[in-house]
Amino acid sequence: MIKSALVTAALATGAWAARPFLNEPDTGIQLALPDLTVGELPPLDAMVGLPDFDYAARNYLPIRNYTYYRNGAGGEWSYRNNMEIFHQFRFRPRSMIDISNVNQTLKTTILGHEFSAPFFISPAARAGYGHPDAELNLVKAAGAQDILYMPALYATKTIEEIAAAKKEGQVVFQQLYLDSTADDEITKALFDRTEAAGADAIVFTIDSAANGNRQRAARFDVGSAFVSYEAYSWEYYDKVRNMTDLPIILKGIGSVEDAKLAVEHKVPAIILSNHGGRQVDGSQSSLETALEIHAEAPEVFEQIEVYADGGVRYGADVLKLLALGVKAVGLGRPFMYANVFGQEGVEKAIELLKTEIAYDAGNIGVPDVSKIGPEAVNWRTGFCGFGGGKPQGPR
Ligand SMILES: Cc1cc2nc3c(=O)[nH]c(=O)nc-3n(C[C@H](O)[C@H](O)[C@H](O)COP(=O)(O)O)c2cc1C
Ligand SMILES: *[C@@H]1O[C@H](CO)[C@@H](O)[C@H](O)[C@H]1NC(C)=O
Ligand SMILES: *[C@@H]1O[C@H](CO)[C@@H](O)[C@H](O)[C@H]1NC(C)=O
Ligand SMILES: *[C@@H]1O[C@H](CO)[C@@H](O)[C@H](O)[C@H]1NC(C)=O
């Protein structure tokens, strides 16, 4: 009786609502690794997609280490939504199109710097929780694979140690948290240090003005690194941008209003992000923010470079963000998990994602990834799933 009532309820609210959340959808990794023991690192060969690295890291790392990476804020609704939202919107494949060169169209420029793919390694603190060489693996893998790396200020290795591991000419954007209550000399010194280390841009994270409520992390004492309530403002941005010659990108834009203000304040680029769902539970995903901008101020995508991160686990996810006008897409956790295998693991994750992007673009009839447009996706599928709400965004 209970079972059939549940089935009826599930049918009534739509099949999507009834699906359990899957941190990694079951694609057979447990069947492929029947003898894996707890604490053991599976062979790198067994990793065939980015979610596999989450499985491997969870099995291999001490619970405290894994929890630091895996954690989201509150009930982790935003963490889950970041991943699930991509599957609300489905492609509108086109066929009979010559896509034979699609794998040569992944190259992109980010603030004028050339990279081999339209995705980057988002800044994530404490890579030492996954591997003793920490961020050195990430910077080397990014260099070898010719993608952008954004080292975090709260990295295990110092800014200088990470810079020393760059290959000749490698571009990195340094993430910083700024203390708005500190003396200007302190902020200036941090900028000078960043410039001296050879960073090509500063990524100022603005979505963490207060601490995150991190329940999972609190259980294992790996909670938030911050303690203050910040006094950020656009005047503050206007002031600090004058303290350095480096472009200052804003990371953590979550609404069309702030995207428009960033344009007004001549911010060179913004990263749509809810911090991987780690700061405020219930914040919309970057795909939802991109849809909001597309519906209400699509010119923003032309006026400044817009990047986005959060929940990206597949090539198809990357394509959905690019379809709205996002120029490059960041990933945090997948690369931190891949780092348990060292540089080789991070490189494998990068290669897998490049291949997925090319295959998926080819199969939906997009011959040039850099030219994908909103018509590649049926944006109505998702909003119909939200209880018949008014469809928004491009149809
Ligand atoms: C373990 C961890 C640490 C992070 N540390 C920072 C940080 O120091 N600065 C920052 O701007 N973002 C930080 N982030 C957020 C990431 O830059 C990025 O927005 C987020 O991880 C994207 O979501 P994803 O993990 O689902 O890809 C961190 C994320 C994780 C998972
Ligand atoms: C693209 O795929 C072809 C095989 O169709 C391969 O020869 C070529 O090396 C690939 N190029 C890139 C940039 O991956
Ligand atoms: C777990 O994190 C600690 C730092 O807190 C680090 O010393 C240790 O090496 C990490 N364990 C693994 C397996 O990477
Ligand atoms: C920043 O510098 C520019 C050009 O030097 C100047 O016009 C502007 O007033 C300065 N802004 C602030 C807030 O100091």
Side-chain angles (χ1 to χ4, degrees):
M1 270 315 278
I2 291 178
K3 197 176 171 193
S4 71
L6 278 177
V7 170
T8 313
L11 289 172
T13 56
W16 178 76
R19 284 184 205 162
F21 169 72
L22 298 167
N23 197 54
E24 313 101 43
D26 172 24
T27 59
I29 190 167
Q30 280 167 296
L31 297 173
L33 297 168
D35 303 323
L36 191 69
T37 57
V38 173
E40 190 188 347
L41 190 63
L44 184 56
D45 278 355
M47 304 293 107
V48 302
L50 270 55
D52 292 349
F53 291 100
D54 190 334
Y55 180 83
R58 190 169 64 242
N59 189 73
Y60 164 70
L61 288 176
I63 185 70
R64 199 169 172 268
N65 297 40
Y66 174 75
T67 297
Y68 177 66
Y69 294 146
R70 165 65 178 77
N71 173 71
E76 302 184 338
W77 299 96
S78 285
Y79 164 82
R80 290 188 291 272
N81 182 59
N82 281 357
M83 289 185 271
E84 291 179 331
I85 193 73
F86 288 110
H87 310 287
Q88 292 267 313
F89 302 101
R90 290 175 277 282
F91 290 118
R92 303 176 59 250
R94 300 297 306 272
S95 38
M96 308 302 275
I97 292 170
D98 177 357
I99 53 83
S100 53
N101 291 323
V102 67
N103 71 337
Q104 289 152 46
T105 67
L106 263 59
K107 289 192 196 73
T108 196
T109 59
I110 302 179
L111 277 191
H113 304 284
E114 285 182 21
F115 296 98
S116 67
F119 62 85
F120 57 87
I121 304 181
S122 284
R126 307 189 204 175
Y129 277 37
H131 192 282
D133 292 336
E135 291 80 14
L136 304 185
N137 297 327
L138 294 156
V139 70
K140 288 180 190 168
Q145 290 287 328
D146 202 11
I147 67 162
L148 174 61
Y149 176 42
M150 299 182 181
L153 174 63
Y154 296 131
T156 303
K157 301 286 181 184
T158 64
I159 294 177
E160 292 76 17
E161 284 168 329
I162 298 168
K166 288 193 294 188
K167 75 170 186 196
E168 173 119 20
Q170 183 177 345
V171 170
V172 303
F173 292 0
Q174 178 65 47
Q175 183 268 335
L176 298 178
Y177 286 108
L178 301 180
D179 178 357
S180 53
T181 62
D183 290 343
D184 287 350
E185 289 72 52
I186 291 175
T187 306
K188 178 85 172 77
L190 187 57
F191 288 165
D192 289 348
R193 184 179 166 201
T194 302
E195 282 184 40
D200 294 278
I202 288 168
V203 177
F204 171 22
T205 303
I206 57 169
D207 63 10
S208 324
N211 275 358
N213 294 308
R214 298 183 175 182
Q215 300 178 6
R216 182 187 296 268
R219 295 183 211 289
F220 298 96
D221 194 25
V222 284
S224 173
F226 331 112
V227 285
S228 61
Y229 293 96
E230 289 296 338
Y232 296 150
S233 65
W234 288 105
E235 291 68 38
Y236 181 69
Y237 178 80
D238 291 340
K239 182 177 82 171
V240 299
R241 72 176 304 158
N242 272 13
M243 295 182 184
T244 174
D245 292 331
L246 294 177
I248 305 184
I249 297 170
L250 293 180
K251 174 171 182 284
I253 297 283
S255 65
V256 64
E257 289 90 336
D258 282 350
K260 289 200 288 192
L261 283 165
V263 172
E264 258 175 54
H265 286 264
K266 302 198 168 23
V267 179
I270 55 175
I271 307 179
L272 311 181
S273 178
N274 66 359
H275 214 107
R278 295 165 76 82
Q279 277 311 118
V280 57
D281 199 16
S283 52
Q284 64 183 353
S285 79
S286 66
L287 184 71
E288 290 164 301
T289 305
L291 267 169
E292 193 177 284
I293 298 171
H294 203 287
E296 292 174 35
E299 66 279 4
V300 168
F301 291 110
E302 311 299 326
Q303 291 165 326
I304 54 175
E305 293 195 358
V306 178
Y307 321 131
D309 75 14
V312 174
R313 301 292 181 269
Y314 302 95
D317 303 344
V318 175
L319 291 172
K320 287 171 189 172
L321 282 164
L322 297 183
L324 289 171
V326 169
K327 191 135 200 321
V329 170
L331 294 87
R333 293 181 186 83
F335 291 126
M336 300 307 266
Y337 296 142
N339 192 31
V340 300
F341 293 96
Q343 179 183 343
E344 212 189 337
V346 181
E347 283 202 52
K348 173 133 191 210
I350 295 168
E351 282 170 353
L352 285 170
L353 193 59
K354 283 180 179 173
T355 305
E356 286 186 14
I357 293 170
Y359 285 178
D360 289 343
N363 280 316
I364 61 170
V366 169
D368 182 342
V369 171
S370 69
K371 296 201 169 71
I372 189 171
E375 66 286 348
V377 179
N378 183 348
W379 298 104
R380 300 184 79 166
T381 51
F383 289 109
C384 293
F386 293 165
K390 188 173 136 225
Q392 295 172 36
R395 312 255 172 108

